[in-house]
Amino acid sequence: MRKDIEIAGLVGVLMSLFLVNIAISQPDEDPDKTLSPYFLVKSDDPSIDQLPLKSTSANVNIAGVIADIKVVQVYENEGERPLEAIYVFPASTRTAVYGMKMTIGERTIIAEIKGREEAQRDYQEARDSGKSASLLEQQRPNVFQMNVANILPNDKIRVELSYTELLVPTDGVYEFIYPTVVGPRYSNAPARTAPPQDRFVQTPYTREGEPPTYKFDIKVNLSCGLPIQEIICKTHKVNIEHSGENKAFIKLLPSEEFGGNRDYILKYRLSSGQIESGVLLFEGKDENFFLLMVQPPKRVNSDKISSREYIFIVDVSGSMRGFPLEISKKLLRDLIANLRSTDTFNVLLFSGGSSVMSPQSLPATSENIKRAIELIEGQQGGGGTELLPALERALALPQSKGRSRTVVIATDGYVHVEKEAFDLIRYNLNRANMFTFGIGSSVNRYLIEGMARIGMGEPFVITKPEEAPSSAERFRRYIESPLLTGIKVDFGGLSVYDVEPASIPDLFAQRPVIIFGKWKERREGKITLSGYSEGRPYRATIDLSDIHPSPLNAGLRYLWARHRITILDDYNHLQRDDERIEEVTKLGLTYNLLTAYTSFVAIDTQIRRDPTGKLETVKQVLPLPEGVPDTAIGEGYYSGYYSMGGKIKTFS
C-alpha cells in the first residue's frame, strides 16, 4: 500500500512538471492557439531571474506646451545564467522618440536609428556573438518593445530613451499623461501566422490586484509663461512644490513606489483659464520650424440644437468586468437619462458577439430610457472583444431621416485591430460622427484617440467612477454646436511650407487651433486666423515683430515629423503603399525618430559571453492595470496558462 502511494505521488509530481512544461511552451506549439496574453507561470529554477526589470523612472520637463521626457529602465540579472530581457511598455500617442543610450558599468553606448529590419539583424548578430545590446521597436504608435541581450549574472544595465510631445489644452486645462502599462489585448488571430508587430500581444501578466514586480518613479518640472492657477494629480499621491507663480516641481510620494499599474495623469490650469496662444520658432542647421497655437473663441451655449440620433456602443467583454463596467454603467445612465424628448437612440452591447436593444432607434421617452438603463445595468462582463463586427452592425442600423447621427463608444480598447477600426470609420464618415470614451486606469489611447480623430469627434478618458458625470457634461457641451467653422490662416510675412495639417476641420471643443510647419527667409507682419463663430465672423492675430527663434524649441522638428508620420501611418492599412512606407522610413532616419519602420539599436563593442553558451530569453511580466479583472485574460486555463480568446484546453 505504501509503495502504491509513493508511486502515485511520483506520477503526480511528474505529471505536474509535464503540465507546467506544456503550459510554458503552449503559446508557440498549439496550432489552434490564438495570439493571446497569459498569466505568468513562475519557474522554480533559481538560476534564472524571470523578473530582470528592476525599475522604470521618468524625468519630465514641461516648458510652455512642449514636454521633454527622459525614461530610464534598469535591468539587473540576479540569477546565474545570461539573459535576454523583453519588455513591452506604453507611451503617449503623441510621443516622438528621438534618442536612446545604454550604460553598462562605466561604458555608455549611444543608440543609432536604422531601418527596422537592419536594426533587428544588427541586434541579433550582436546577441548571438555575445555582445550586450539593446533594441527599441515600435509595435504600435503607443506600444514599444525593448529587447536587452546578454545581461550577465550581477550585471546592471541602464537604458535611457528620450522623447518629446505637445500638450494640447482642452477647456483651459493642460494634461500630461505618462502611460505605465500595456493592457492585455484581445485577438482572434492565429499565433503562428501573426506578423512580428502583433506578437507583443503574447505578454505575461500577474494576477488581478498584484502589484508590479518593478519599482516606478516620475518627477515633473513645470515651467509656464503664465501664472499657474491649479495643479491636480488624482491618479497618484504626489508632493507639489511651487517656485514662484510660473514654476512647480511635482514628485511621487514614497507610498507610490509600485504605482506603475495605472496611467500617471497630471492636470494644470493657468491663471484665468487662459491658453498660451502664440508662435514658437526654431532655427535649425538646415531647416526652420514653427508652431502656431491660437486660442478659439469662448463657447456660447445655445438652446437651438436640432434633434439628433445617438447610438451607444458598450463594451461588456471580460476585461470590462467589475470596475470598468461599473464606470460605463454610470456614464451611460447619465448620458441616456439626459437625452431630450425630441432625440432618438439605440444601445448595442458587444463582447465576443453583439446584441442590439432595438432593430431601429427609439424615441427618448421615459419608458425607453428606463428600458435602456435596465439593459445596461444587467451586464456583468465576460467573453472576447470583437470590436469590428460591433462597429459594422451599429453603422448598418437604419438611420432616421433628417437627423444627425452620433455614435458613442465606451470601451477600454483592449484589442489589436486599431487600423482596421480606423479604416471602417474613415469609409463611413458621412454616416456618423464618432465619440469615444476610454474606460479604465490604462486604456488603449491609440484606439480611443484614433477613432475619435478619424471620426471627426472627441476622445474622453474616464479613470474613476466619480469622473463619469463631468465627462458626460463635457460631451453634452461639446456637441451643442460647432465652435469655429470655415477656418483659414494667413501667415502674412512668414514664408511657410510643409504645413500640417493641410486643412483645418471645424473646431468643436474649447481647445486651440494648432498648426506645424517650416519657415524660411524673413519673418515679419502678422499671422491672422479667421472663421465663423455662432454665425458671426471671427478673427485672431499674432504679431511676429517680438517673436524670435529659441534653441529651447528644438523639439519642434521632432513634433512636426511625428505629426507627418502619424498621418501617413494611419493610411497604411488602406493600402500598403510602398512609397508611403518609404516616406515614413525616410522621415524616421532624417529626424532620428522611432517609427513603425525605424528602430533604435545600441551595441557594445566588447564580447561579454561565450557565444557557444546558452542565453535565456525572458519576457518581463506586466501587472494587470488597476481595476482590470483576471477575466481580461480569460476564464479557462490549462495548468497555469490562461488564454484571452484562445482555444482553451483542460487536463484531468
Side-chain angles (χ1 to χ4, degrees):
M1 185 70 173
R2 181 179 177 83
K3 183 176 290 186
D4 291 342
I5 293 174
E6 290 175 350
I7 291 173
L10 178 60
V11 170
V13 171
L14 292 174
M15 181 58 72
S16 298
L17 292 174
F18 171 68
L19 291 179
V20 169
N21 183 58
I22 289 176
I24 293 172
S25 61
Q26 192 72 22
D28 298 321
E29 295 181 359
D30 187 348
D32 298 323
K33 184 70 181 67
T34 59
L35 197 67
S36 305
Y38 56 95
F39 285 127
L40 173 71
V41 180
K42 193 169 182 179
S43 169
D44 292 329
D45 187 349
S47 66
I48 302 175
D49 185 351
Q50 288 188 291
L51 307 170
L53 178 67
K54 303 308 175 187
S55 67
T56 178
S57 59
N59 281 299
V60 184
N61 286 290
I62 300 174
V65 295
I66 298 178
D68 191 73
I69 301 97
K70 308 290 184 189
V71 179
V72 176
Q73 298 168 0
V74 177
Y75 299 86
E76 187 174 1
N77 185 355
E78 296 179 350
E80 300 169 9
R81 303 187 197 175
L83 296 178
E84 175 189 31
I86 300 175
Y87 173 43
V88 174
F89 61 100
S92 162
T93 54
R94 295 187 289 267
T95 293
V97 182
Y98 63 85
M100 185 179 91
K101 62 183 180 181
M102 177 177 69
T103 301
I104 310 168
E106 300 298 321
R107 301 190 310 283
T108 297
I109 300 97
I110 304 298
E112 296 182 66
I113 190 74
K114 295 186 177 183
R116 183 169 184 143
E117 293 181 359
E118 181 185 0
Q120 286 176 342
R121 286 195 302 269
D122 289 352
Y123 171 80
Q124 290 166 3
E125 181 180 329
R127 177 194 64 192
D128 296 343
S129 66
K131 298 177 181 178
S132 291
S134 56
L135 173 69
L136 178 62
E137 296 180 297
Q138 175 184 300
Q139 312 297 21
R140 293 288 189 276
N142 67 330
V143 177
F144 301 156
Q145 179 172 306
M146 181 73 75
N147 288 40
V148 183
N150 292 312
I151 311 174
L152 303 187
N154 301 317
D155 260 357
K156 182 179 285 188
I157 295 180
R158 290 166 49 93
V159 181
E160 179 183 304
L161 54 142
S162 303
Y163 70 89
T164 187
E165 67 175 89
L166 182 70
L167 305 184
V168 181
T170 300
D171 289 331
V173 177
Y174 292 77
E175 185 176 67
F176 171 74
I177 300 166
Y178 182 83
T180 61
V181 62
V182 175
R185 301 294 195 257
Y186 170 82
S187 170
N188 58 14
R192 281 192 169 186
T193 57
Q197 64 270 24
D198 287 350
R199 292 191 176 276
F200 77 90
V201 171
Q202 288 184 308
T203 297
Y205 285 84
T206 58
R207 299 300 298 269
E208 176 183 354
E210 292 183 10
T213 60
Y214 46 85
K215 295 179 180 180
F216 167 68
D217 190 29
I218 184 168
K219 297 180 177 67
V220 179
N221 279 295
L222 179 60
S223 178
C224 304
L226 295 171
I228 301 169
Q229 180 180 349
E230 181 183 32
I231 301 175
I232 297 175
C233 180
K234 293 184 178 180
T235 59
H236 293 74
K237 296 177 182 177
V238 299
N239 181 56
I240 302 172
E241 300 174 2
H242 289 271
S243 177
E245 291 185 330
N246 300 7
K247 296 181 179 180
F249 177 67
I250 303 97
K251 63 180 180 180
L252 289 183
L253 294 182
S255 59
E256 297 286 12
E257 186 177 40
F258 293 97
N261 61 350
R262 59 197 184 277
D263 291 352
Y264 173 92
I265 302 175
L266 182 74
K267 297 182 180 182
Y268 59 97
R269 186 189 299 272
L270 303 182
S271 62
S272 303
Q274 296 182 61
I275 293 174
E276 290 189 276
S277 299
V279 176
L280 300 179
L281 300 176
F282 173 70
E283 207 165 45
K285 181 180 179 182
D286 301 310
E287 296 175 311
N288 306 322
F289 295 84
F290 76 87
L291 182 145
L292 169 67
M293 180 178 286
V294 181
Q295 182 172 347
K298 294 291 184 183
R299 181 180 298 281
V300 179
N301 292 328
S302 173
D303 296 327
K304 298 177 181 180
I305 310 170
S306 60
S307 297
R308 294 183 179 176
E309 178 190 18
Y310 297 92
I311 307 295
F312 297 98
I313 303 176
V314 187
D315 182 351
V316 294
S317 65
S319 63
M320 295 287 289
R321 178 176 289 181
F323 159 75
L325 187 55
E326 291 308 309
I327 294 181
S328 295
K329 290 177 181 179
K330 190 175 181 67
L331 170 71
L332 269 295
R333 281 198 305 268
D334 201 324
L335 290 176
I336 294 173
N338 284 280
L339 292 176
R340 296 169 302 159
S341 59
T342 54
D343 294 331
T344 59
F345 77 103
N346 211 334
V347 177
L348 186 147
L349 309 175
F350 78 95
S351 54
S354 64
S355 61
V356 67
M357 184 177 79
S358 171
Q360 61 185 24
S361 292
L362 302 172
T365 63
S366 58
E367 182 180 346
N368 287 332
I369 288 173
K370 179 181 178 183
R371 177 184 165 193
I373 291 175
E374 289 176 349
L375 176 66
I376 295 167
E377 287 288 352
Q379 302 305 309
Q380 298 300 317
T385 313
E386 293 289 354
L387 173 65
L388 291 177
L391 286 175
E392 290 170 350
R393 186 172 184 180
L395 291 170
L397 290 172
Q399 187 164 2
S400 304
K401 291 184 179 180
R403 290 178 184 266
S404 171
R405 170 175 281 185
T406 295
V407 174
V408 179
I409 306 167
T411 179
D412 53 20
Y414 289 167
V415 296
H416 85 303
V417 289
E418 294 97 338
K419 288 190 178 182
E420 291 86 344
F422 300 163
D423 191 359
L424 178 64
I425 293 169
R426 184 178 286 114
Y427 278 122
N428 289 276
L429 274 178
N430 61 328
R431 301 174 67 182
N433 287 328
M434 300 282 174
F435 292 80
T436 54
F437 284 83
I439 310 293
S441 59
S442 296
V443 302
N444 180 3
R445 291 177 184 267
Y446 175 41
L447 178 76
I448 302 300
E449 294 175 9
M451 287 196 300
R453 180 179 66 247
I454 293 167
M456 305 299 287
E458 173 82 358
F460 301 82
V461 175
I462 304 175
T463 61
K464 298 178 183 296
E466 58 267 27
E467 295 173 0
S470 61
S471 294
E473 176 60 26
R474 279 181 55 214
F475 170 75
R476 284 192 290 271
R477 286 191 289 113
Y478 184 97
I479 61 173
E480 283 174 353
S481 62
L483 191 62
L484 194 61
T485 62
I487 302 174
K488 295 181 181 179
V489 179
D490 181 355
F491 286 94
L494 189 67
S495 180
V496 301
Y497 64 105
D498 284 351
V499 176
E500 294 287 346
S503 60
I504 307 171
D506 290 350
L507 185 69
F508 278 84
Q510 180 63 33
R511 61 171 54 195
V513 177
I514 295 176
I515 301 173
F516 296 93
K518 302 176 185 177
W519 61 277
K520 56 185 178 181
E521 300 168 353
R522 58 194 178 89
R523 44 180 176 80
E524 57 188 19
K526 296 180 179 180
I527 296 176
T528 303
L529 181 140
S530 61
Y532 291 88
S533 177
E534 298 291 327
R536 296 185 294 273
Y538 171 84
R539 288 170 64 89
T541 60
I542 295 176
D543 195 336
L544 290 169
S545 60
D546 295 325
I547 299 173
H548 304 283
S550 170
L552 296 177
N553 299 331
L556 291 181
R557 66 190 304 270
Y558 305 123
L559 295 172
W560 173 85
R562 179 74 251 180
H563 185 84
R564 175 64 66 90
I565 289 166
T566 299
I567 300 300
L568 292 168
D569 195 44
D570 274 353
Y571 281 91
N572 265 348
H573 187 72
L574 296 179
Q575 183 178 355
R576 208 160 171 78
D577 191 310
D578 288 340
E579 291 184 6
R580 192 173 292 123
I581 291 174
E582 185 177 338
E583 185 173 353
V584 172
T585 304
K586 184 178 179 181
L587 284 166
L589 295 175
T590 301
Y591 295 97
N592 210 60
L593 287 179
L594 183 71
T595 73
Y597 311 107
T598 55
S599 304
F600 281 102
V601 61
I603 297 173
D604 194 3
T605 56
Q606 297 182 12
I607 296 177
R608 309 183 66 238
R609 175 183 65 87
D610 182 355
T612 61
K614 187 177 181 181
L615 180 69
E616 299 286 349
T617 297
V618 175
K619 289 186 176 181
Q620 174 66 40
V621 64
L622 303 181
L624 276 178
E626 184 180 66
V628 173
D630 286 347
T631 49
I633 303 294
E635 297 172 358
Y637 64 92
Y638 37 88
S639 187
Y641 180 94
Y642 288 65
S643 168
M644 185 181 190
K647 182 176 179 180
I648 306 302
K649 295 184 177 181
T650 59
F651 295 86
S652 60

